[in-house]
Amino acid sequence: MGRMNGWLRGLAVVVALWQVPHSHAWTLEEAAKPYKGVTVRTIGEALPPLEAMKAMAPEFTKRTGIKVEIEMYEHSEAVNKVMLDLNSKRARYDFILQPHRELGKFVANKHLQPIDRFLDDPKLRDPSFEPAKVLYPGLWKEISWYQGKVYGFPFTALTMYAWYRNDLLNDPKERAGFKAKYGYDLQPARDWKQYRDLAEWFTRPDKGLYGTALQGKRHEALWYEWLNFLYSFGGDVLDVKAGSDCGPVIVNSPEAIESLEYYKSLVKFSPPDTLNYFWDDVMALMQQGKVFELIMWNDATYAVAEDKEASTVAGKMAFDLVPQGKGGKVGQVEGWSYLIPASAKNQAAAYLFIQWMMAYDQQLKQHLNGGASARPDVYASKDVQKLAYAKASMQTNEVAKPKATLPQSGEMTDILVREISTFLVGQKTAKAALDTSAKDISKLLGKCAPLKYPVK
Amino acid sequence: MQGVDTGGTRGRLLFDRGTAWFLLAPAAVLVVIFLVGPFYYMTWTAFTDLSFANPDQHGAFIGFDNFRRLMREDDIFWSSFGRTLHFVVASVGLEFVLGFALALLIHRSVRSTRVVLTLLLIPMMLAPVAVGLLWKLLLQGDFGMVTHYLRSVGLLARDAAIFSDPSLVMPAIVAIDVWQWTPFVTLVVLAGLMSLPREPFEAATMDGAGPWRQFVDVLLPLMRPIIALVLLLRGIDAFKEFDKVFILTGGGPGTVSELLSIYAYRVNFKNWDIGYGAAVAFMVYLVVVILCSIFYKAVYWKPSGERVAA
């Protein structure tokens, strides 16, 4: 019996020793073997983060034999093509890159494959990849989760913050003149009064310089931009804690009305065509050195602040959180997420590519080429710290506020864009525009979204 | 022999009919696939609650609910409808007057019309998307060439921009449409003028009718079918205007340039409310059908005197 026990003990040790190296022996090459020769196809917005991914994909193909085809389109086109593909069940894409506001629509219509299936699969899951530890938890939850279930990983954690012309901020003549007029030092705005003072001071149409540039076109850009003002003034669209929650409509609160009126007050410090601008236009103006300050996206920062071939103000920019109002420090976040359609043909191969892209090395490379990683360790890298916008990006990530990801979020956005635009051109007052928005959104969402502020 | 002949004729007829059907079949199949099929699907969808956004709306039949909502509750639809009618009347009206005048001028004054017509047709040959992009750049508020010259001559204030000023947006869009489509009117009217018989004009001259009387009492009645045709084609096309406006303004600022087609796009492809969007599209179709029938009547309408004589 004693001999038998000893023999069994010895066998257990052998088994354990055999298992130890195997549990750590996960390699991408091994995991990808069954999918060699497969082609995974994806679609996303034609911007630097996707271009960076496209540049890295051949390395993945070299290691795995899995080919990656990437289709790039303008923002709305990328969203519309995916909607039509998912609803037609053609399964053209093995994974998709989509803005997180679309999440509710996809989940409610059962278009997505929850990602935990892959995370629980030891053959596919890289044991060193622990998303809960390596990603900003708030950003991951906001961008890729819906009603407590995880559907993907952040492709980009897009946030908006304030951009300033640092060379003008540090110009001794400007500093002296500004202090003489406003009674305080020229610096990035701490509050919205200072933001307007700065806009006013630097508005010099005769010299082709404007204080700011609003994204006032009837386009999603208008809504995104105004959300920064809304949140900072202490308002919100719905009174909820998570983007996937439905709750009372508060978009016509006094704070929201105040923020909208303030927003319009900046039109006179913007170029004449400001009501026809969206993100591309204001980015181009900044690159040409025609604007002093504005509120813009982090994935556009590289092309303005670092790319000397594209920008006349590269190396001359400063970045900071949006000014603070009653809402305190806030950031408006919009992420694009890696998602796997339920109808996709090559789900496992797609997951392997996504997981590979989420690894530190790829995230760092992508971030340095215009990406917007959701990994804090990427921001801690020395190379990233050298970027003028690293600090502002990181700070905004930490105070990011959720936005509605309900199935009706697209229509909610459309209502708000329409009404804000009618206010900007003087067709309605701020109160009337937001009252109409509140009424329409409440009607759209139904019983779960009563009006908190009565509408006549 | 007669019987044999009859049999042969019948056989040929049957053969001809069979051949005719055989030859027509490919075109008929294509028409069914690309016209009848989609139209049937759109019409059916307009009677359902299909939505790609709302999971509770799977496309159940809801009768006339979408149309009821459209007629009674949807203020945006009606304001877009009114705006579209204004756009059609203004743009087609101007295109017709300018195109007719230009055609008369070319017909009477230009000997070799080839070069003139080739130059005239350039805007018409451009894709609407290209026209939208072209004018977006020309009228851009910061560096647009046309904007620059308009400011230089004082027609546009230094602190104004065409697509950010609600009072200038629709006139600008009408002007661009007129620029693009006046040559089409000119071309069709010119073809009509060249095909007119000389005799009625010679008779009118003999009777002492001056140029104005000849224009009103001879030329215009003779040109009526051509005029009706050109107005019909332009009216239908202008009513469906989408590309240029979408690229230039996206329907804004505010709702200043939100035409019916832009609204239909928003309902279908922003809100994914496909059933309701199909109802909006069906209404556009209905208006076009009404326009067609009115103009068809106009083409074949004859004064009472002519009808009696006939």
Side-chain angles (χ1 to χ4, degrees), chain B residues 1 141 253 264:
Chain B
M1 284 297 282

Side-chain angles (χ1 to χ4, degrees), chain B residues 231-242:
Chain B
L231 287 177
L232 174 68
L233 291 177
R234 281 305 305 135
I236 291 170
D237 206 38
F239 202 83
K240 295 185 298 181
E241 174 60 42
F242 176 78

